[in-house]
Amino acid sequence: MWGYWAGTQFFIGKLDAPDMRRVTLGILLASGLFSLLWHANNSWLAPASAMAIGVIMLWSGSRLIPVESRYRLLGMTLMLRGGFNILAAATLNPDMYVVWFVGTTVLKILSMLGLVYAVQDEIQQRYARTIDSLSHGFLIRDRRGYVHVANERCAKLLGFNSAQELIGLHVCDLLPNLTREMADQYFRRFEAEGVQYPLSDTAVMRLRNGNSLPVELLGSPYIERGRMYCLVQLLDISERKKKDDLLYQAARIDPVTGFFNRHALSLRLAQEVAHAAAAGRECAVLFIDLDKFKRVNDSFGHAAGDELLRTAANRLHGLLRPCDVLARFGGDEFIVIIPDLAPNSAEQMAGDCADAIIAAMGRGFELSYHAISVTASVGIACYPNHGTDSDTLIRCADIAMYEAKKAGRGERRVFNDAMNAAAKDGLVIDGALAGAVEANEFYLVYQAIVNAHTGKLTKVEALLRWNSPLLGPVSPDRFIPVAEDSGMIIPLGTWVLEQACRQVAAWKRSALDDVTISINVSAWQLADPDFLKLVSQALIGNGLSPHQLELELTERVLIEDAANVQAVLAQLRALGVGVSLDDFGTGYSSLSYLTQFHLNTLKIDRAFVMDIEHSERSHNLVHAIIAMGHSLGLQLVAEGVETAGQAAILEKMGCHYLQGYHISRPIPPDELLRFADARRSLAPAVNSDFSI
Ligand code: C2E
Ligand code: CA
Ligand code: CA
């Protein structure tokens, strides 16, 4: 009785676990009392207790039925049993024992089934509520891959209306990249030795609407009635994926242009090289450098610089095939990878591509507030001819680009081994140059420039010499480009200017009094905002008059930074300093430079003078240059005069000055002074056909 009461109270939630201990104690006491009474042989005890149990069963059943539907069967059978018990107690006689026994047994079985159903339903509901309350998707699959259980969250994640729709589906229906074999294999992983649960995998699931969802799958095994199942948690990782993508972007995408950055480029090139190696193919790397970018940045600001980079990158991209790769390597440097090329075709393809790039960059750029003209220099390196790994290929393409740049703007060069040697040489020189000015490793030699007609020593060119304790004597053709590259040319050029002016001052009141000193100046120096100040300081500090100084510039200096150079040259002219165009005829030789800039002197390059006696072409060319110089009011100096014949021809053509080994090699100042002294004593004898 007490048990029925307590059980009912427990089911309807009015009794909890601690109370059950008291109930158990009560049941034990009641049982003790019952057995005492039983032994006392009270004949009324059996019908009375059956009656009382019947009443309590009726009560229990009536309490259970309205509570929840799952208790209805239990409640009804209890009420039936209660009614049957009361009836049996009232009509108890031995003839009815069989009926009573059968009826009680049937009703007992029914109430047991009702109890089992109620408990099982409760467990199932609790379990369903638990998995539905999980914030992750959850499903249970069997060994073959069929879904047995799924929660609502899982249905929602995958775009199904209810979890029920998922039951019976195969995991391959949900994971497009999964094959049946892979689904079968999955359980093997649980059986592997030392495996840790849950197994974590990322996958892309197919949603009902056809979209896909990145998920993390956490799988743990569980065994139910001897069969292994897998509990799978599904974590929606689309947000995480977005963050990962952002990080990926930050790590691999150049923020200005939106194309690959240096890091991504290296990785990609390594892949392309591996692919080419496996497939017996070639690939090409183009190193592209935009000239003038720095100046755009400096003059118009970073926004304009960025806009130029973006526009240039898009224009470059427009020239490429879909499989080609474009990356911004840094500053104004871009790299293009042309992958998967047929054997022996890479150089040709890369050359064609470089030509298209140079042409496209040369078309000029209309930015928001400025129109800018830019040129590109392109270096090419190919796999496998020039390198078999990405670093080497990039380095070779860089070296080739540098060579292209040296050859002038808008050029392209394919890498070769000689370039590599030059680059290595450059590194060694660069190291040795550091501190060389302070260590007094430099000195100047002077080469006479004489009047072609009178033979009078009028000018001297200062030529730099370097005696490195490490490398021995290094020619300026080797170290000047390295010093220009490292910026070292600025202090070095300042030293030359100061040293040469001091030397001219020292020659005062000697045979070299009033000589004009010619100094070679590189583009970097001219771009230095302090340059004009340094020039006037050198003049004033050494008491020289400005006409005693002439600066030698090459055509490259003029075109590289035309606007700035023009301004500096105008100021030099205002100061009274002469400007000479060196190596004329070797570079761009555009007449417009001669009129556009304030020049005093043209120096005809040695290359033409050399052949003047034997080559009609050189002869005619030098003749034309001299005639043109005359018409522009320029003084003409012929360089590299090595023979009396050359000197005579040049003089006849009207060249004003001669310089070369025929007159004097570049020599130290005291030697030059002796040379000048000797000439002065000769001077009266010198006439138009002088010889030395
Ligand atoms: P450059 O200005 O054309 O100098 C003339 C070069 O021709 C000098 O070479 C000189 O020694 C050489 N030379 C003169 N006469 C003859 C001749 O008759 N035959 C031959 N074969 N060569 C002759 P160097 O001294 O080796 O200078 C090479 C270049 O280095 C110069 O060419 C100049 O561009 C540069 N350089 C020299 N000194 C300086 C400097 O102080 N500053 C800068 N920025 N560059 C310098
Ligand atoms: Ca020169
Ligand atoms: Ca020269």
Side-chain angles (χ1 to χ4, degrees):
M1 246 170 65
W2 203 323
Y4 277 106
W5 173 81
T8 307
Q9 292 291 82
F10 181 73
F11 265 87
I12 62 177
K14 299 228 165 128
L15 210 65
D16 49 24
D19 293 332
M20 289 305 278
R21 275 197 293 277
R22 286 198 291 276
V23 169
T24 317
L25 201 65
I27 290 172
L28 286 174
L29 284 173
S31 310
L33 184 68
F34 184 81
S35 57
L36 281 177
L37 289 172
W38 190 263
H39 286 295
N41 202 9
N42 283 314
S43 55
W44 52 269
L45 188 63
S49 56
M51 183 78 74
I53 287 174
V55 170
I56 195 80
M57 279 177 173
L58 275 175
W59 175 82
S60 289
S62 69
R63 296 287 293 180
L64 286 173
I65 288 170
V67 179
E68 268 186 72
S69 58
R70 62 167 165 264
Y71 298 146
R72 210 167 284 158
L73 179 63
L74 178 64
M76 276 173 4
T77 51
L78 279 176
M79 284 188 78
L80 269 176
R81 278 182 69 188
F84 189 80
N85 265 29
I86 293 170
L87 199 69
T91 60
L92 200 66
N93 75 56
D95 301 342
M96 296 293 283
Y97 271 2
V98 176
V99 178
W100 187 81
F101 178 74
V102 172
T104 312
T105 308
V106 169
L107 288 171
K108 244 185 204 163
I109 291 168
L110 270 178
S111 64
M112 285 300 281
L113 285 175
L115 184 66
V116 167
Y117 168 76
V119 170
Q120 199 194 19
D121 189 65
E122 172 141 347
I123 290 170
Q124 230 165 32
Q125 292 272 319
R126 185 175 288 178
Y127 170 62
R129 270 200 304 276
T130 310
I131 64 166
D132 277 339
S133 70
L134 292 174
S135 56
H136 305 321
F138 175 86
L139 59 81
I140 297 178
R141 56 159 282 195
D142 63 19
R143 201 172 248 281
R144 288 180 307 149
Y146 289 98
V147 176
H148 284 238
V149 176
N151 68 353
E152 291 300 327
R153 172 78 185 135
C154 183
K156 208 167 153 202
L157 270 180
L158 301 180
F160 288 81
N161 293 325
S162 76
Q164 208 56 37
E165 291 179 0
L166 283 163
I167 314 275
L169 289 183
H170 194 272
V171 283
C172 288
D173 301 330
L174 304 171
L175 292 159
N177 298 328
L178 196 74
T179 62
R180 294 241 166 189
E181 289 84 62
M182 284 154 79
D184 284 347
Q185 294 289 318
Y186 189 68
F187 277 66
R188 296 253 170 88
R189 290 168 59 189
F190 292 131
E191 289 148 10
E193 211 168 299
V195 69
Q196 300 251 331
Y197 311 132
L199 296 178
S200 166
D201 297 277
T202 53
V204 175
M205 297 204 82
R206 186 168 27 219
L207 304 187
R208 199 135 189 231
N209 61 10
N211 289 349
S212 45
L213 176 78
V215 288
E216 182 177 2
L217 300 172
L218 298 172
S220 315
Y222 108 98
I223 292 174
E224 191 178 288
R225 275 167 279 143
R227 282 213 190 126
M228 192 190 268
Y229 293 83
C230 175
L231 306 169
V232 185
Q233 290 187 68
L234 278 83
L235 278 65
D236 174 358
I237 54 166
S238 44
E239 280 303 314
R240 193 210 296 175
K241 189 112 194 338
K242 265 189 220 152
K243 281 191 194 125
D244 282 356
D245 287 351
L246 274 179
L247 284 177
Y248 176 91
Q249 293 246 332
R252 281 158 204 250
I253 303 295
D254 167 50
V256 175
T257 61
F259 291 101
F260 274 165
N261 64 12
R262 189 189 194 112
H263 172 62
L265 182 272
S266 303
L267 294 176
R268 184 62 188 269
L269 182 56
Q271 283 171 7
E272 294 300 348
V273 166
H275 175 263
R281 310 277 287 174
E282 296 192 343
C283 68
V285 179
L286 275 67
F287 202 111
I288 303 150
D289 184 281
L290 299 186
D291 317 314
K292 285 203 204 161
F293 168 73
K294 191 180 171 302
R295 212 164 313 131
V296 171
N297 244 359
D298 292 348
S299 330
F300 304 129
H302 285 270
D306 286 357
E307 194 185 353
L308 172 62
L309 285 176
R310 256 193 307 277
T311 322
N314 287 328
R315 198 179 280 182
L316 272 174
H317 192 242
L319 299 170
L320 305 178
R321 304 173 304 169
C323 61
D324 297 340
V325 181
L326 172 65
R328 181 175 169 214
F329 199 63
D332 55 355
E333 295 163 344
F334 290 91
I335 282 189
V336 168
I337 307 174
I338 312 180
D340 199 24
L341 297 170
N344 300 320
S345 73
E347 283 186 23
Q348 175 68 42
M349 287 289 287
D352 293 347
C353 184
D355 287 340
I357 288 171
I358 290 167
M361 292 297 118
R363 284 207 312 272
F365 290 87
E366 290 285 336
L367 304 184
S368 304
Y369 302 104
H370 313 279
I372 290 165
S373 68
V374 173
T375 49
S377 304
V378 184
I380 297 167
C382 301
Y383 170 86
N385 286 1
H386 305 132
T388 50
D389 64 89
S390 67
D391 284 350
T392 309
L393 286 168
I394 292 172
R395 193 167 42 78
C396 292
D398 187 7
I399 291 170
M401 184 280 292
Y402 186 72
E403 288 292 320
K405 224 179 173 121
K406 273 207 281 194
R409 307 286 140 174
E411 289 285 329
R412 66 165 160 99
R413 287 290 178 274
V414 178
F415 176 80
N416 62 45
D417 283 337
M419 292 181 186
N420 210 2
K424 272 195 195 128
D425 191 39
L427 279 181
V428 175
I429 290 175
D430 192 41
L433 268 178
V437 173
E438 293 76 13
N440 278 327
E441 289 168 23
F442 292 102
Y443 61 95
L444 291 177
V445 288
Y446 299 86
Q447 189 174 28
I449 301 173
V450 298
N451 185 307
H453 193 59
T454 63
K456 183 176 185 298
L457 201 167
T458 327
K459 310 187 196 193
V460 288
E461 179 175 358
L463 291 161
L464 188 56
R465 294 289 175 265
W466 179 29
N467 201 357
S468 160
L470 194 72
L471 306 169
V474 186
S475 88
D477 288 328
R478 277 175 71 202
F479 71 79
I480 297 276
V482 180
E484 284 180 334
D485 239 22
S486 67
M488 169 82 175
I489 193 71
I490 304 256
L492 192 54
T494 308
W495 180 86
V496 171
L497 181 70
E498 174 56 33
Q499 186 67 23
C501 289
R502 195 179 301 162
Q503 185 58 61
V504 176
W507 280 327
K508 274 224 161 88
R509 280 179 289 281
S510 73
L512 285 163
D513 193 22
D514 209 35
V515 75
T516 294
I517 184 87
S518 229
I519 294 174
N520 295 287
V521 171
S522 64
W524 280 80
Q525 287 173 271
L526 224 60
D528 179 13
D530 289 337
F531 183 66
L532 281 165
K533 203 170 78 196
L534 290 170
V535 169
S536 36
Q537 270 172 5
L539 290 174
I540 296 164
N542 293 292
L544 304 189
S545 88
H547 79 265
Q548 282 187 281
L549 178 63
E550 193 171 68
L551 303 177
E552 295 196 7
L553 312 176
T554 60
E555 282 169 286
R556 264 186 74 180
V557 178
L558 301 187
I559 56 161
E560 259 169 37
D561 196 359
N564 179 47
V565 169
Q566 221 166 359
V568 177
L569 295 195
Q571 281 167 286
L572 284 171
R573 190 187 174 95
L575 214 69
V577 172
V579 178
S580 168
L581 187 59
D582 206 353
D583 304 341
F584 186 74
T586 53
Y588 304 83
S589 304
S590 161
L591 282 177
S592 68
Y593 298 124
L594 302 181
T595 50
Q596 194 180 335
F597 297 97
H598 302 282
L599 302 171
N600 306 79
T601 308
L602 266 193
K603 294 187 81 171
I604 307 165
D605 194 71
R606 193 167 76 226
F608 306 105
V609 174
M610 201 159 65
D611 294 337
I612 198 168
E613 289 170 287
H614 313 292
S615 153
E616 201 183 326
R617 194 176 162 271
S618 290
H619 187 281
N620 292 344
L621 211 105
V622 172
H623 195 74
I625 293 174
I626 292 173
M628 185 184 68
H630 282 178
S631 69
L632 290 171
L634 295 170
Q635 294 189 347
L636 292 146
V637 178
E639 295 187 301
V641 181
E642 293 188 354
T643 66
Q646 291 166 351
I649 294 172
L650 288 161
E651 195 266 338
K652 222 164 127 205
M653 281 179 179
C655 183
H656 304 109
Y657 299 99
L658 306 178
Q659 175 184 6
Y661 294 171
H662 174 62
I663 296 125
S664 164
R665 289 189 172 251
I667 45 178
D670 45 346
E671 224 175 288
L672 186 79
L673 189 58
R674 283 200 292 279
F675 172 81
D677 278 336
R679 284 194 81 80
R680 202 149 61 165
S681 57
L682 271 174
V686 174
N687 55 30
S688 59
D689 51 8
F690 73 91
S691 57
I692 298 162

